[in-house]
């Protein structure tokens, strides 16, 4: 298996687990996880109060 | 769900159709290459995963691929912020401020109103004389007006320079008779009259002066006639300054009547403050008398209670405590207990919910709310999304289930930026975000903790 194929396999496995909201740890690199941001109100610079929509975002924590 | 390094290696080995040792070596080699590339070139892009960057502090940073981020966030993809309240006027940008500056007239009007809280700024000075002396003096007689006018004239003489525009209209009429060369005579020369001039007074004019006039007032005709010895009263009149001619006219009309009128005005001047003082005294009497009465009434109550050996009920005991706190204080307190005829019991608060009028209003607002049949979808209303599904049939089932539970359920499809379609199911229709947030508290789990509010478009 070539190095390119290995990279594709790693990306596929990682993405599939992240879509399932799973936390994935890779030694030497760090940990990938999905965090949920709740909808919240905040005030813009022009005074408008807007409600930010919720979101699921990918969070990466590098290994020390 | 958590996938640790060993589990990941096992999965990779299965995908590579090799053993875990080989997969572990391949994974290690990939990690090393990513880190090295990030250190050497600043960033390393991995297709389908994202970009790794080396930060200044030596740690690794990761920016996920857009496609992957969208897939992970598929439930909430395509949502945009909802405006809850419009911009505040105080926080307008500079462009708006410039626009506001161009509208100077309303601002100036506001400033005028602010400077003139009583609304008299628009009342111009030139409008005042149009009222005329009659309007200024109300229903007083002419003589009374002049009596009132004299002290004012004396004051004016000290404070203001002489000028046509400052004279009253009737005063102007008198001034028209003054010769131009004599019009500017300073009235203050009156005290500087040489007493030697007095013998030059024409004796024929002397009898015309009312004998009741005070000796000090005799100097006025003496002054006027000494400078015009050879003519009649009419010829001497124009020579005098307006104030002098006024006083002389009064004297010629009758000094006694003047004294009487001045006596009347003095009485009036005294009567007004006396009457005001009387009114204030009466008001104060009733005010403090009312306090005293209420105090007496309260003082009486403990006596009655002492006569009853049984302990007072809780309310009476509270009243007694109030009395004990109140009676020793010698100072007049404004917040005294109410008089006995005043009903201190609080008015019963009507139950708002039981009001039929409110019920009608509530019925009129039927399209809004969490529960009930959804007759129409209100564009612009807010709804609580509880399902975001890729399967259309499943979304229909969830919608029907919610409707069977009594919720207003709405279902619609959303095309995500990556072209995929998501079917969302929302419950309720609300006029404001706050209403929707309150309704979330009524939702059962898992909807209560897993939902989001969007605007129906």
């Amino acid at each position: 298996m070539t190095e390119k194929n290995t990279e594709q396999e790693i990306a596929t496995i990682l993405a599939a687990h992240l879509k399932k909201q799973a936390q994935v740890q890779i030694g030497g690199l760090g940990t990938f996880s999905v965090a949920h941001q709740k909808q919240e109100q905040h005030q813009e610079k022009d005074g408008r109060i807007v409600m930010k929509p919720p979101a699921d975002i990918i969070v990466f924590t590098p290994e020390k | 769900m958590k996938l640790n390094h060993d589990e990941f290696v096992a999965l990779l080995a299965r995908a590579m159709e090799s053993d875990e040792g080989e997969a572990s070596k391949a994974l290690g080699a990939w990690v090393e290459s990513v880190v090295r590339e990030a250190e050497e070139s600043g960033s390393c892009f991995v297709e389908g995963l994202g970009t790794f960057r080396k930060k200044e502090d030596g740690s690794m940073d990761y920016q996920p691929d857009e496609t992957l981020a969208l897939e992970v966030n598929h439930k909430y993809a395509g949502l945009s912020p909802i405006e809850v309240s419009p911009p505040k006027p105080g926080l307008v940008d500079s462009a708006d401020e410039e626009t506001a500056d161009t509208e100077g007239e309303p601002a100036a009007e506001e400033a005028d109103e602010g400077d003139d809280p009583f609304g008299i700024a628009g009342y111009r000075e030139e409008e005042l004389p149009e009222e005329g002396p009659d309007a200024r003096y109300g229903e007083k007689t002419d003589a009374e007006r002049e009596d009132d006018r004299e002290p004012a004239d004396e004051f004016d003489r000290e404070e203001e320079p002489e000028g046509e525009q400052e004279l009253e209209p009737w005063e102007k009429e008198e001034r028209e008779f003054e010769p131009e060369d004599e019009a500017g005579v300073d009235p203050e020369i009156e005290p500087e009259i040489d007493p030697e001039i007095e013998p030059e007074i024409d004796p024929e004019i002397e009898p015309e002066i009312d004998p009741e006039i005070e000796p000090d007032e005799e100097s006025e005709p003496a002054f006027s006639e000494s400078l015009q010895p050879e003519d009649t009263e009419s010829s001497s009149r124009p020579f005098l300054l307006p104030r002098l001619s006024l006083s002389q006219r009064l004297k010629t009309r009758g000094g006694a009547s003047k004294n009487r009128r001045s006596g009347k005005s003095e009485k009036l001047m005294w009567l007004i403050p006396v009457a005001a003082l009387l009114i204030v005294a009466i008001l104060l009497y009733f005010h403090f008398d009312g306090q005293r009465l209420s105090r007496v009434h309260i003082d009486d109550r403990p006596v009655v209670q002492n006569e009853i050996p049984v302990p007072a009920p809780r309310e009476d005991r509270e009243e007694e405590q109030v009395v004990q706190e109140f009676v020793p204080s010698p100072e007049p307190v404004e917040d005294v207990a109410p008089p006995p005829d005043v009903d201190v019991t609080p008015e019963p608060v009507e139950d708002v919910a039981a009001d039929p009028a409110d019920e009608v209003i509530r019925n009129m607002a039927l399209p809004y709310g969490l529960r009930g049949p959804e007759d129409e979808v209100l564009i612009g209303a807010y709804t609580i999304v509880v399902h975001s599904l890729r399967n259309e049939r499943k979304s229909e089932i969830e919608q029907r289930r919610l409707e069977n539970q009594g919720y207003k359920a709405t279902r619609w499809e959303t095309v995500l930026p990556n072209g995929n379609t998501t079917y969302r199911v929302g419950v309720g229709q609300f006029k404001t975000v706050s209403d929707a947030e309150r309704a979330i508290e009524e939702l059962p789990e898992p909807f209560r903790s897993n939902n989001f509010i969007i605007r129906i478009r």
Side-chain angles (χ1 to χ4, degrees):
Chain A
M1 182 174 261
T2 63
E3 196 175 320
K4 190 72 178 172
N5 288 341
T6 304
E7 188 175 273
Q8 282 179 356
E9 289 296 336
I10 291 169
T12 303
I13 295 167
L14 193 55
H17 280 81
L18 288 174
K19 287 174 193 173
K20 294 177 191 171
Q21 315 283 313
Q23 187 182 42
V24 180
Q25 182 195 7
I26 297 177
L29 188 64
T31 303
F32 297 86
S33 60
V34 175
H36 178 71
Q37 283 184 342
K38 286 188 174 181
Q39 61 182 355
E40 59 179 7
Q41 293 185 14
H42 80 282
Q43 192 167 17
E44 300 282 351
K45 285 180 182 176
D46 61 357
R48 282 187 314 149
I49 296 174
V50 296
M51 178 171 274
K52 280 173 63 179
D56 290 334
I57 56 168
I58 302 170
V59 178
F60 173 71
T61 308
E63 193 174 88
K64 293 177 181 177
Chain B
M1 188 177 170
K2 189 173 180 179
L3 191 69
N4 60 29
H5 181 78
D6 294 338
E7 291 169 334
F8 191 87
V9 169
L11 284 174
L12 182 62
R14 202 184 304 162
M16 290 171 64
E17 296 176 352
S18 62
D19 55 16
E20 288 187 9
E22 198 173 328
S24 180
K25 282 182 184 174
L27 182 60
W30 176 77
V31 168
E32 195 177 332
S33 69
V34 167
V35 172
R36 188 173 57 247
E37 190 176 339
E39 284 177 349
E40 289 175 356
S41 61
S43 65
C44 174
F45 176 72
V46 179
E47 192 176 348
L49 194 62
T51 306
F52 293 91
R53 287 189 179 86
K54 195 78 175 177
K55 291 202 290 190
E56 291 179 358
D57 60 355
S59 62
M60 193 71 80
D61 188 27
Y62 167 69
Q63 181 69 37
D65 181 65
E66 283 187 10
T67 308
L68 176 61
L70 192 65
E71 287 290 320
V72 168
N73 189 39
H74 71 92
K75 280 201 289 187
Y76 311 110
L79 295 177
S80 54
I82 303 169
E83 186 174 306
V84 178
S85 71
K88 289 182 179 176
L91 296 171
V92 292
D93 55 15
S94 59
D96 290 339
E97 284 173 0
E98 286 173 9
T99 310
D101 288 342
T102 55
E103 298 170 354
E105 288 184 8
E109 284 175 11
E110 285 177 9
D112 284 343
E113 286 176 9
D115 293 341
D116 181 28
F118 300 105
I120 58 174
Y123 197 79
R124 295 174 184 173
E125 280 189 358
E126 52 265 34
E127 290 172 359
L128 288 170
E130 288 178 10
E131 292 180 358
D134 292 337
R136 284 188 69 172
Y137 286 90
E139 296 179 352
K140 286 183 179 178
T141 62
D142 290 342
E144 283 171 345
R145 290 171 195 173
E146 286 173 1
D147 286 339
D148 291 342
R149 179 65 192 158
E150 275 191 350
D153 285 341
E154 287 168 8
F155 176 78
D156 291 343
R157 206 183 307 170
E158 291 173 4
E159 295 293 321
E160 300 172 1
E162 284 191 5
E164 277 274 328
Q165 66 279 3
E166 293 161 4
L167 296 174
E168 295 294 333
W170 67 91
E171 213 168 7
K172 285 178 185 173
E173 288 173 12
E174 290 184 1
R175 274 223 145 185
E176 286 173 5
F177 298 103
E178 290 180 5
E180 286 184 10
D181 55 340
E182 293 167 349
V185 176
D186 192 348
E188 290 181 2
I189 61 172
E190 186 179 354
E192 298 173 3
I193 300 166
D194 190 351
E196 292 178 1
I197 300 173
E198 256 187 81
E200 296 177 8
I201 298 170
D202 190 353
E204 292 178 3
I205 301 173
E206 280 275 346
E208 291 180 9
I209 300 166
D210 197 320
E212 293 182 16
I213 298 173
E214 298 297 323
D216 57 338
E217 290 178 352
E218 287 177 10
S219 62
E220 288 183 358
F223 167 64
S224 60
E225 270 113 22
S226 65
L227 295 174
Q228 294 246 332
E230 68 266 29
D231 36 14
T232 62
E233 179 188 341
S234 61
S235 61
S236 66
R237 235 184 112 209
F239 170 77
L240 295 174
L241 289 169
R243 294 159 188 101
L244 293 176
S245 51
L246 273 171
S247 60
Q248 190 185 16
R249 194 170 65 177
L250 274 177
K251 284 162 194 167
T252 53
R253 284 181 185 175
S257 63
K258 181 196 169 188
N259 286 342
R260 258 183 272 125
R261 285 188 214 107
S262 62
K264 273 185 185 177
S265 63
E266 280 179 6
K267 284 177 184 174
L268 279 172
M269 292 288 284
W270 278 105
L271 274 174
I272 291 166
V274 167
L277 278 172
L278 271 173
I279 291 165
V280 170
I282 290 165
L283 287 173
L284 283 171
Y285 173 78
F286 280 112
H287 176 70
F288 286 109
D289 191 54
Q291 283 191 355
R292 190 183 63 80
L293 286 173
S294 62
R295 206 175 299 162
V296 167
H297 167 71
I298 294 164
D299 288 347
D300 290 339
R301 298 187 75 166
V303 175
V304 175
Q305 283 178 359
N306 288 338
E307 289 174 1
I308 303 167
V310 292
R314 185 180 177 80
E315 290 177 3
D316 292 342
R317 267 184 271 139
E318 285 176 2
E319 284 182 9
E320 187 178 353
Q321 190 178 358
V322 170
V323 170
Q324 285 173 352
E325 288 173 359
F326 176 77
V327 170
S329 75
E331 298 171 2
V333 184
E334 289 186 3
D335 295 334
V336 294
D341 55 342
V342 177
D343 187 10
V344 292
T345 54
E347 293 181 2
V349 181
E350 292 181 5
D351 186 7
V352 179
D355 194 349
D358 285 346
E359 191 66 31
V360 172
I361 293 167
R362 213 171 291 125
N363 290 336
M364 286 169 65
L366 256 183
Y368 292 110
L370 184 61
R371 294 175 178 273
E374 191 177 61
D375 299 327
E376 57 175 325
V377 176
L378 302 170
I379 303 299
Y382 298 93
T383 189
I384 305 165
V385 178
V386 292
H387 290 292
S388 188
L389 306 164
R390 296 182 184 185
N391 190 319
E392 185 178 7
R393 192 165 178 276
K394 198 175 178 184
S395 68
E396 288 175 359
I397 293 168
E398 293 297 340
Q399 182 192 9
R400 220 167 293 133
R401 187 182 294 169
L402 288 165
E403 284 175 346
N404 292 338
Q405 291 175 0
Y407 294 105
K408 292 175 188 286
T410 312
R411 187 178 64 89
W412 67 97
E413 64 178 54
T414 303
V415 179
L416 302 182
N418 60 359
N420 293 339
T421 302
T422 294
Y423 298 92
R424 287 181 172 139
V425 181
V427 291
Q429 294 187 121
F430 307 97
K431 204 170 184 177
T432 63
V433 174
S434 302
D435 293 344
E437 285 177 331
R438 278 192 291 270
I440 286 171
E441 301 300 318
E442 300 176 24
L443 289 174
E445 289 293 352
F447 303 138
R448 193 189 303 171
S449 55
N450 190 14
N451 62 70
F452 58 93
I453 300 167
I454 67 162
R455 197 168 198 173
I456 301 169
R457 297 175 190 277

